Amino acid sequence: MSATVLAVALAVTGFLVTRESDEETFRKSAQRAEFCREAAPLDLQKSEELTSDKRHHIIEDLGKQAPDDIAEDFGRLAAWYEHQEPEDEEAARKSSYRVGEFIERVCDDVNIGGIRS
């Protein structure tokens, strides 16, 4: 490997290792506390009390606060609650998992169910 290629590879690797993800940045932000307060009703222990309409509004509100890299999934899931079209079901299911995973990683006290191992 030439010295130039090696230098570029090390620079790129260093960039990738030191660059924080939107999730990590959000986790450290002041917005996190409010986001997690709003996400709390989605916890598995509390979610039985939620109507579909209330769940929809929570997802919609959280999507407005979410970082750009996950906001699209919040939007897709909120849209699914509004119009449950069969052709959109698979995409909504994938977004639901990603949204749940994001919430659980950012909010330590919220367990969505079926996400954590």
Side-chain angles (χ1 to χ4, degrees):
M1 185 180 295
S2 76
T4 304
V5 172
L6 181 58
V8 170
L10 288 174
V12 169
T13 303
F15 173 75
L16 293 176
V17 170
T18 59
R19 183 175 167 256
E20 284 190 343
S21 71
D22 282 353
E23 180 180 302
E24 292 165 337
T25 302
F26 188 79
R27 190 168 168 72
K28 295 175 184 177
S29 76
Q31 296 169 288
R32 176 181 178 232
E34 178 63 25
F35 179 90
C36 292
R37 256 191 308 280
E38 287 191 39
L42 299 174
D43 185 87
L44 187 61
Q45 300 296 321
K46 303 170 189 170
S47 66
E48 292 176 4
E49 303 164 10
L50 290 180
T51 64
S52 181
D53 187 53
K54 180 68 175 166
R55 185 181 309 273
H56 169 238
H57 288 292
I58 291 171
I59 294 295
E60 199 171 53
D61 290 344
L62 292 174
K64 293 174 186 172
Q65 300 174 50
D68 292 341
D69 67 339
I70 190 73
E72 184 177 333
D73 286 303
F74 275 94
R76 186 176 298 113
L77 186 55
W80 170 254
Y81 277 106
E82 281 185 40
H83 306 286
Q84 297 182 4
E85 301 294 333
E87 63 270 11
D88 298 330
E89 184 174 1
E90 183 62 27
R93 187 182 327 256
K94 288 178 183 177
S95 287
S96 177
Y97 185 83
R98 286 190 290 267
V99 163
E101 187 175 49
F102 176 80
I103 291 170
E104 284 191 355
R105 286 184 178 166
V106 170
C107 306
D108 298 328
D109 295 335
V110 179
N111 179 3
I112 300 298
I115 306 291
R116 290 187 180 139
S117 53

